[in-house]
Amino acid sequence: MKNYTDSGGMGIPDDLVAAINDLKQQKNAVILAHYYQESEIQDLADYIGDSLGLAQEAAKTDADIIVFAGVVFMAETAKILNPSRKVLLPDLDAGCSLADNCPSDKFSQFVQAHPDHTVITYVNCSAEVKALSDILCTSSNAVKIINSVPKDKPIIFAPDKHLGRYLIKETGRDLVLWDGSCIVHEQFDHKKIVRLKARHPEAEVIAHPECPESILNEADHIGSTSSLLNYVKKSDAKSFIVVTESGIIHQMEKACPEKTFHPAPPENGCSCNECPFMKLNTMEKLYRCLRDETPEMNVPAEIIERALIPLKRMLELS
Ligand code: 13P
Ligand code: SF4
């Protein structure tokens, strides 16, 4: 590897982009990043996508090392699909409120209390919860996955109650919901969004289905991060109120520089809404993790074996 200038004297090169690209080549590594990552990480990644796209990409990579610029449940998914490859996550504290509030022991009791139900679980959950599920889904394919279950078969849907309610409406199925939510999407302020709409009557409202129902009722389009991005590319509208984590706006602005994107405000007084877990990853941590090949994401072999079944079912149905 080249010697990069380190003017801070802390072992961190000034040109992090060049240093990371160098390490990536040297180690045959691939960087997979979610749309909620900071812009610099998105610009550096080999692939940027929503949860489904990232899982599909992880399933087909032949890199020796996968660096996941995302959160724990995404890196675990990559590990389940690639048990023999090294999967790195720049910060192991990058959790998710949905996964964290669905512990596997409680979830197992919930499943046992509903015998004969098909267990459909949103990928935003731990590897242990995946192992207790029949089929996984993301917000991109949830409707399709639910519709693949025979009509007379009752369904448990976990862990996001807002996505669950949206899916009940979309599919007409009576889902038994786990009481979980995303701390980011739950924080959007309905009144402020209505005021923002009044200030920009020409703008279309696009929202992620992890938002509560009152917010989704304001939306012109509802979908996963990839779906929202595709929508703004195709729409004739010139401006949009974006009701999801504000990281996605970077790709929207790159794809449609002539259009305007207004981040929807949360209740906490900030002007945009960021996921504190996603934003734990930084360029510096990404560099260190690729250089030192740690922190590494590991999942017990027995969990991998069981979690792979519902994960493969999802990928086959997608
Ligand atoms: P998607 O990118 O699959 O829409 O998921 C959003 C999300 O909250 C990921 O944590
Ligand atoms: Fe989890 Fe919400 Fe953050 Fe996505 S945005 S990682 S669902 S807390």
Side-chain angles (χ1 to χ4, degrees):
M1 192 178 135
K2 282 183 220 132
N3 266 335
Y4 289 99
T5 313
D6 168 21
S7 51
M10 303 291 285
I12 300 297
D14 294 348
D15 190 348
L16 275 172
V17 174
I20 291 171
N21 279 328
D22 215 9
L23 280 170
K24 214 174 66 179
Q25 213 177 2
Q26 193 187 309
K27 298 186 180 215
N28 187 27
V30 68
I31 299 178
L32 307 182
H34 189 265
Y35 290 122
Y36 296 164
Q37 292 296 290
E38 63 175 56
S39 309
E40 256 188 305
I41 294 181
Q42 291 189 38
D43 290 343
L44 183 79
D46 297 291
Y47 178 84
I48 325 162
D50 66 359
S51 308
L52 177 63
L54 288 163
Q56 287 168 328
E57 206 58 29
K60 64 180 188 217
T61 187
D62 55 7
D64 294 319
I65 296 178
I66 300 170
V67 186
F68 221 106
V71 292
V72 169
F73 77 79
M74 295 177 170
E76 280 181 339
T77 301
K79 185 67 187 177
I80 293 164
L81 291 164
N82 294 279
S84 61
R85 296 183 210 278
K86 194 173 261 186
V87 177
L88 303 172
L89 183 68
D91 192 323
L92 288 182
D93 287 332
C96 167
S97 64
L98 282 167
D100 297 347
N101 293 319
C102 187
S104 59
D105 55 341
K106 296 262 162 47
F107 187 65
S108 174
Q109 288 166 15
F110 184 68
V111 170
Q112 279 166 32
H114 298 88
D116 303 328
H117 284 58
T118 298
V119 182
I120 302 186
T121 311
Y122 192 34
V123 287
N124 300 36
C125 64
S126 67
E128 288 78 7
V129 167
K130 286 182 174 71
L132 293 165
S133 308
D134 294 314
I135 320 182
L136 300 176
C137 72
T138 74
S139 48
S140 286
N141 58 20
V143 169
K144 201 172 178 186
I145 302 277
I146 289 171
N147 286 337
S148 76
V149 177
K151 286 258 181 306
D152 58 342
K153 191 93 181 127
I155 298 173
I156 283 178
F157 183 82
D160 189 342
K161 64 179 176 190
H162 297 305
L163 175 60
R165 272 197 204 109
Y166 168 73
L167 292 169
I168 289 172
K169 220 167 147 181
E170 288 297 295
T171 62
R173 299 291 285 264
D174 187 17
L175 312 176
V176 178
L177 303 180
W178 176 268
D179 186 13
S181 58
C182 159
I183 49 160
V184 179
H185 290 88
E186 203 168 53
Q187 253 196 56
F188 285 110
D189 189 316
H190 181 254
K191 278 196 196 123
K192 286 185 192 166
I193 291 173
V194 171
R195 284 207 294 270
L196 197 58
K197 263 177 98 165
R199 278 213 307 280
H200 303 283
E202 76 297 346
E204 285 194 321
V205 178
I206 54 170
H208 196 281
E210 287 175 15
C211 294
E213 193 177 12
S214 60
I215 307 272
L216 295 182
N217 287 341
E218 302 295 334
D220 298 294
H221 176 71
I222 298 167
S224 74
T225 49
S226 289
S227 164
L228 300 183
L229 179 57
N230 289 335
Y231 184 80
V232 303
K233 288 182 193 166
K234 287 193 198 128
S235 168
D236 290 332
K238 292 282 170 272
S239 76
F240 301 86
I241 294 170
V242 183
V243 200
T244 190
E245 213 267 7
S246 54
I248 184 80
I249 293 178
H250 179 57
Q251 291 304 322
M252 292 178 173
E253 285 174 339
K254 274 175 95 169
C256 311
E258 74 290 359
K259 298 186 179 181
T260 309
F261 302 97
H262 308 282
E267 287 163 354
N268 62 13
C270 297
S271 59
C272 69
N273 205 354
E274 293 196 326
C275 173
F277 302 109
M278 287 278 181
K279 292 316 199 253
L280 280 176
N281 296 325
T282 61
M283 285 288 282
E284 198 176 302
K285 286 185 199 169
L286 188 61
Y287 167 75
R288 281 188 208 274
C289 119
L290 193 48
R291 183 191 65 189
D292 305 336
E293 298 186 22
T294 186
E296 187 175 349
M297 182 50 67
N298 282 310
V299 179
E302 176 258 331
I303 299 290
I304 290 187
E305 202 182 313
R306 287 166 47 214
L308 191 57
I309 300 165
L311 185 53
K312 274 195 171 159
R313 276 189 196 134
M314 171 187 90
L315 292 173
E316 278 159 19
L317 281 165
S318 298

